[in-house]
Amino acid sequence: MYAVALQADGHILIAGAFTAVNNVARSYLARLEPNGALDPGFAPAINNELRALAVQPDGKIVIAGRFTSVASQSRNRIARLT
């Protein structure tokens, strides 16, 4: 894991080079519930590892890393999730 961020609602974002969280397939980015359980509804499609992330004041998530695609859209190394 390379980065961790806390969302305003208490969810925890984790980013890195992993492909599973608690034995559930999650590639490079995952969100945990405030109690630490994996959020099953959050699974963005990212094609390579993440090195950094940040949560903006408006709640949007900015990610950076070695990826070139997010949700089947070309995104070279930096993207914002809405």
Side-chain angles (χ1 to χ4, degrees), residues 16-74:
F18 55 83
T19 56
V21 175
N22 294 335
N23 296 318
V24 177
R26 284 292 182 279
S27 295
Y28 316 115
L29 179 64
R31 183 167 62 189
L32 305 177
E33 301 286 351
N35 67 3
L38 182 64
D39 180 348
F42 184 83
I46 300 167
N47 72 338
N48 207 333
E49 71 184 48
L50 298 182
R51 293 295 186 129
L53 67 93
V55 179
Q56 296 181 307
D58 63 2
K60 294 179 177 137
I61 303 163
V62 177
I63 57 174
R66 295 182 177 186
F67 59 87
T68 57
S69 174
V70 176
S72 299
Q73 299 293 314
S74 180

